[in-house]
């Protein structure tokens, strides 16, 4: 469960998986980045041409929800692996990024609005 998991433990799981298969030689930032992009595209295929209502219906179907879950797991795997290969602490990176995002998107300017931060300058 997410509440019980630690990011470092997840990184260790995906690193062990790669080591057991002698795949580390293929896991460089460029190729992992490409693979991550492909996995995101595979997730997006499930939503393409669907309304929000249709997506909600999909999520009510156990088999379709499992397919989406698998795609998210592939993305998470890729994200963990590339962050490990690049020696990036994801927790710290997210905290730093949120500090920047709060500056770009001050609540008093953006609340309830979907525009990119450049729109508010």
């Amino acid at each position: 469960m997410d509440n019980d998991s630690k990011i470092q433990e997840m990184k260790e799981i995906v690193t062990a998986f790669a080591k057991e298969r002698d795949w580390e030689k293929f896991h460089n930032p460029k190729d992992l980045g490409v693979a991550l992009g492909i996995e995101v595209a595979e997730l997006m295929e499930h939503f393409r041409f669907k309304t929000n209502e249709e997506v909600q219906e999909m999520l009510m179907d156990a088999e379709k929800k499992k397919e989406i879950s698998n795609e998210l797991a592939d993305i998470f795997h890729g994200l963990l692996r590339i962050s490990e290969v690049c020696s990036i602490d994801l927790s710290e990176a997210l905290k730093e990024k949120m500090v920047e995002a709060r500056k770009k998107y001050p609540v008093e300017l953006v609340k309830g609005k979907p525009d990119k931060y450049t729109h508010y300058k």
Side-chain angles (χ1 to χ4, degrees):
M1 295 193 65
D2 283 347
N3 289 339
D4 300 327
S5 299
K6 304 276 190 261
I7 291 176
Q8 185 57 40
E9 291 173 12
M10 300 294 103
K11 284 183 175 184
E12 290 168 6
I13 289 169
V14 299
T15 298
F17 183 85
K19 282 183 181 183
E20 290 166 354
R21 286 153 184 80
D22 193 27
W23 287 353
E24 288 184 298
K25 58 189 166 197
F26 307 116
H27 288 186
N28 58 72
K30 189 243 337 153
D31 289 324
L32 289 168
V34 169
L36 185 56
I38 292 167
E39 295 300 343
V40 170
E42 289 177 6
L43 172 67
M44 292 167 43
E45 283 181 317
H46 291 276
F47 305 129
R48 187 176 185 197
F49 304 125
K50 302 277 190 302
T51 65
N52 287 333
E53 292 78 20
E54 290 170 322
V55 170
Q56 289 305 313
E57 286 177 26
M58 285 174 45
L59 293 171
M60 299 300 284
D61 179 297
E63 186 176 318
K64 291 178 182 175
K65 187 172 183 173
K66 181 66 175 168
E67 291 173 9
I68 292 168
S69 174
N70 285 340
E71 297 301 348
L72 287 170
D74 287 343
I75 292 165
F76 190 41
H77 180 150
L79 181 62
L80 290 166
R81 190 71 187 115
I82 195 169
S83 68
E84 183 69 10
V85 167
C86 293
S87 300
I88 292 174
D89 183 314
L90 283 174
S91 297
E92 286 303 312
L94 179 61
K95 289 174 189 174
E96 290 173 14
K97 185 65 178 181
M98 292 309 299
V99 168
E100 293 173 21
R102 283 185 183 90
K103 291 176 187 173
K104 287 181 181 178
Y105 296 97
V107 173
E108 61 275 4
L109 288 179
V110 305
K111 190 167 187 175
K113 300 174 186 172
D115 303 301
K116 185 175 178 179
Y117 71 93
T118 53
H119 176 79
Y120 303 106
K121 289 186 175 188

